[in-house]
Amino acid sequence: MAPQRFREQYDQIQRSMPDVPLAIGPDDAGEFLYEKGVVLARDGEEARIVEDTVRRHFTAFAGLSADQVRRAGPESNRSGITRIRVADPGQGDGSGDPAVANALRALREPEGRTGRRLVGRNHVVSIAVNACPGDEPVPVEAGARPNPAAADGSHTPDGAVGVLVVDTGLMNDYRSYPLLAHTRGDAQVEECGEDGVLRQYCGHGTFIAGLVAAVAPDTDITVRGTLNDAGAILESEFGEKLFETVDRDGWPDILSLSAGTSNGRTDGLLGVDAFMRELRRQRTLLVACAGNNSSATPFWPAAYADLPGFEDAVLSVGALRGDGEYGACFSNHGAWVKAYAPGERLISALTGFDTPVPYVYQHSTYDDCRYGFGYACTCRHPRHTGALSEEGGSGKPDQVMFEGLAQWSGTSFATPVAAGMIAAHMSARAETDPRAARRQLMDANSEVAEVRGAKVPALVPATWRPVPVALPSPRT
């Protein structure tokens, strides 16, 4: 059975994609979300092989006639991917999709004439699927300072390092935060619902931009709302959107990406394969989050850092807990995670600088860490009750107010900290090659932390302040 929190987020993401029936995979295990009734294949000969194989093997089982197995479009795009319908997506519920699973089995090794994988699920690439309550922001006390604090330095228009943040858009009042004075990009489309309450994940891209600007003041930051307001997009669309973004803005020095998905495989995502191969030919460094499911399962695109040929092009980043000594309970881990940075209870810009904005928690904290950790992790502290967790229950969700800065946790935020450190290194050394800067920074770094018994590289900004990890004393 998938964790309750994953199901809560499944429901929320499904509401944000009302025209896309979604399933939980693999086989209801709660590792990722994907589009029902559809598989992905590369355009051309490989798509034809997939269609022919599906027709031969299980059209009757899937409830389709042979002529109903067809391309769901588009047939030609920059990412080189075709959606192929293999079942009626209206059948069944979200607990897996047997027709898609059968299509994957029918095209398992040996994989046709190409010698490579022919077919894959159409996954949801998201900032949202996180089994830990740390993925909701927390108000900070009046007068709180950002953490990491703003580093010394100034913005130089002619020499600033270009950082592209692919995420949700910028909040309307982001320019009220001085560190974001030189930031540009897409606006958040709908910040609040009809009730005036801030929507979940709104402000995610703004928070990330604030972290980059704090660690590396001499940056030109562009934020693109590629992930839409809900922070989720289908894999089949994601690769194309990435191409559109770099076509629009040019290839940046550093691309900061705080989203992804697992897929149960070790060879990447079909939907972003073309973009990743093009990235490898560019000079851009992709800094990508390792994900927040406390798992060693590869999380893509971050896990490309462990694939041959991508070692210089991708840096995968996990999260350290508040004291910086160990990995955060929620952080994914494994040999494919190449660096860790502070990612628990960071403080950056959110919204409400001009007018305070209310927010209602969607998920409840737990009595104990859901991963068995003994420190004051974000699974259980600070306590709050969420609307999705209490549907049909007797609890009342907690409402808070945001007035500018917020505290937030996740590998989503460790990632821009690491990206900012590389950008700051480029500025300090007059280094114009971001991949060379990454190597120099990692080679010179002596900081280490412990993650699951292993010593790992820790990228810790000088302006970051550790936060207590002991549980607070009970009220008397």
Side-chain angles (χ1 to χ4, degrees):
M1 176 68 80
Q4 174 62 24
R5 182 172 173 78
F6 191 99
R7 290 195 169 278
E8 292 168 8
Q9 293 181 313
Y10 164 80
D11 292 340
Q12 186 148 339
I13 292 174
Q14 181 64 88
R15 284 195 290 269
S16 76
M17 296 179 166
D19 300 324
V20 182
L22 299 178
I24 297 174
D27 301 324
D28 198 31
E31 292 183 13
F32 51 75
L33 305 179
Y34 64 97
E35 183 181 12
K36 289 178 62 181
V38 167
V39 296
L40 300 183
R42 296 178 182 87
D43 290 342
E45 176 69 5
E46 294 186 28
R48 186 191 63 77
I49 292 172
V50 172
E51 289 178 296
D52 290 347
T53 303
V54 172
R55 288 191 181 99
R56 287 197 309 270
H57 282 270
F58 63 95
T59 50
F61 173 83
L64 299 179
S65 62
D67 62 350
Q68 287 178 305
V69 177
R70 60 179 183 271
R71 304 189 185 197
E75 291 191 24
S76 179
N77 54 57
R78 184 87 174 270
S79 61
I81 293 299
T82 296
R83 293 169 62 246
I84 298 174
R85 184 185 179 200
V86 297
D88 178 0
Q91 293 182 347
D93 57 20
S95 300
D97 187 332
V100 168
N102 278 346
L104 300 181
R105 281 192 286 268
L107 288 146
R108 192 172 288 168
E109 310 281 358
E111 298 178 324
R113 308 171 193 174
T114 63
R116 61 180 179 178
R117 177 166 54 128
L118 292 175
V119 67
R121 293 178 175 90
N122 192 14
H123 301 88
V124 174
V125 177
S126 175
I127 64 172
V129 178
N130 174 359
C132 179
D135 72 349
E136 289 186 88
V138 176
V140 295
E141 296 179 357
R145 295 183 298 145
N147 189 21
D152 292 335
S154 59
H155 180 265
T156 56
D158 295 333
V161 177
V163 179
L164 174 62
V165 174
V166 172
D167 209 87
T168 63
L170 290 161
M171 304 301 279
N172 71 87
D173 58 356
Y174 79 94
R175 289 194 181 278
S176 297
Y177 187 54
L179 292 182
L180 295 181
H182 304 288
T183 299
R184 65 186 183 94
D186 299 329
Q188 191 90 26
V189 176
E190 186 179 356
E191 298 181 6
C192 299
E194 294 180 357
D195 55 1
V197 174
L198 186 69
R199 298 176 63 196
Q200 192 173 15
Y201 309 119
C202 285
H204 193 265
T206 303
F207 195 94
I208 286 170
L211 291 171
V212 174
V215 177
D218 196 10
T219 46
D220 281 331
I221 303 170
T222 302
V223 178
R224 292 298 172 206
T226 306
L227 301 179
N228 69 54
D229 288 356
I233 188 172
L234 287 174
E235 177 185 336
S236 57
E237 300 172 8
F238 187 50
E240 194 69 11
K241 291 289 187 181
L242 288 172
F243 273 121
E244 290 175 4
T245 299
V246 296
D247 286 346
R248 175 179 180 178
D249 298 303
W251 287 90
D253 294 312
I254 298 171
L255 197 166
S256 180
L257 177 63
S258 293
T261 182
S262 61
N263 66 349
R265 295 187 61 101
T266 59
D267 58 354
L269 294 175
L270 284 178
V272 300
D273 183 62
F275 178 83
M276 294 303 296
R277 284 187 281 110
E278 180 61 31
L279 170 76
R280 190 168 53 186
R281 291 190 284 267
Q282 302 291 331
R283 59 184 292 279
T284 295
L285 174 67
L286 171 62
V287 184
C289 72
N292 303 324
N293 297 307
S294 195
S295 170
T297 301
F299 188 81
W300 308 97
Y304 276 92
D306 210 39
L307 296 187
F310 289 95
E311 300 91 340
D312 287 342
V314 182
L315 178 64
S316 49
V317 183
L320 299 176
R321 73 183 196 182
D323 61 3
E325 296 182 10
Y326 297 90
C329 75
F330 53 77
S331 182
N332 286 351
H333 51 89
W336 56 273
V337 184
K338 302 305 179 182
Y340 291 77
E344 194 172 67
R345 300 189 175 101
L346 303 184
I347 299 175
S348 182
L350 187 71
T351 191
F353 288 99
D354 298 334
T355 304
V357 180
Y359 178 74
V360 174
Y361 281 106
Q362 299 299 298
H363 307 284
S364 296
T365 44
Y366 297 90
D367 292 333
D368 300 295
C369 175
R370 58 166 286 111
Y371 305 115
F373 284 66
Y375 76 102
C377 66
T378 56
C379 290
R380 53 178 171 167
H381 177 74
R383 304 289 295 175
H384 52 252
T385 298
L388 293 177
S389 304
E390 295 302 320
E391 284 186 351
S394 58
K396 181 179 179 181
D398 291 328
Q399 178 171 307
V400 293
M401 298 293 291
F402 287 109
E403 301 184 57
L405 298 180
Q407 187 182 83
W408 216 339
S409 302
T411 59
S412 280
F413 311 121
T415 296
V417 169
M421 290 188 67
I422 295 166
H425 180 92
M426 292 177 67
S427 298
R429 302 293 182 86
E431 175 60 69
T432 59
D433 182 345
R435 298 182 184 182
R438 171 264 181 94
R439 291 192 298 271
Q440 294 162 11
L441 181 65
M442 296 292 287
D443 289 346
N445 179 62
S446 60
E447 296 281 347
V448 294
E450 184 175 319
V451 176
R452 311 285 173 149
K455 297 297 183 181
V456 299
L459 297 178
V460 180
T463 61
W464 173 73
R465 307 182 306 278
V467 295
V469 298
L471 285 170
S473 300
R475 294 179 180 178
T476 57

